[in-house]
Amino acid sequence: MGVKRYELNEAQWSRIAPLLPDKSSDPGRTGVDNRTFVNGCLWILRSGAHWQDLPGRYGKRKTVHRRFSRWCHAGVWERVFDALTADRDNQYLMIDSTIVGAHQQAASGKGGPRIRRWGVPEVD
């Protein structure tokens, strides 16, 4: 079966797997399946759904959310993002219109007084 819509493919997974905790070499309890957990988090983040709508194939929603929160507080996600953004050839790093947006009235070019470089209004 192919990769589902919001899930990582083999190349993506092999890139981040060594950066994640809960490997058998780490002390403490190990996660059942990091890949399923990460795919569940991606499903939530990419779909915009609530945690209560998480499909059952990713595990229990409370367990996934609790682990997601623990990883946030431990800085795991930040380490993964730092490692991925350090690569200049990262084809998945992008900014779309949901991040950079302006109110529709900002496109008209009309508005209040023009401001000079030092914050002083121009006088006509």
Side-chain angles (χ1 to χ4, degrees):
M1 183 174 198
V3 176
K4 296 191 184 315
R5 183 176 186 179
Y6 298 123
E7 296 184 356
L8 297 172
N9 61 33
E10 288 298 323
Q12 294 166 329
W13 175 247
S14 64
R15 182 95 187 272
I16 69 165
L19 305 170
L20 304 176
D22 295 336
K23 298 179 297 290
S24 59
S25 60
D26 289 343
R29 185 173 178 203
T30 60
V32 176
D33 185 8
N34 273 346
R35 188 170 184 169
T36 302
F37 163 70
V38 171
N39 283 333
C41 294
L42 290 175
W43 188 90
I44 289 292
L45 297 172
R46 290 179 176 175
S47 69
H50 296 281
W51 284 101
Q52 63 193 21
D53 299 327
L54 182 70
R57 68 178 175 265
Y58 299 117
K60 296 178 181 177
R61 66 178 174 88
K62 282 188 169 187
T63 305
V64 175
H65 179 262
R66 190 178 310 120
R67 189 172 174 192
F68 174 82
S69 297
R70 280 197 321 260
W71 281 23
C72 287
H73 294 296
V76 173
W77 297 117
E78 192 170 343
R79 285 194 307 269
V80 170
F81 295 142
D82 287 345
L84 293 177
T85 56
D87 181 13
R88 296 286 181 205
D89 295 330
N90 189 350
Q91 63 180 332
Y92 300 104
L93 183 61
M94 67 181 107
I95 298 175
D96 64 7
S97 63
T98 60
I99 297 170
V100 180
H103 194 276
Q104 54 186 314
Q105 294 171 348
S108 67
K110 299 176 185 176
R114 300 175 86 180
I115 304 295
R116 286 190 192 160
R117 218 190 295 187
W118 298 282
V120 179
E122 280 186 15
V123 179
D124 290 331

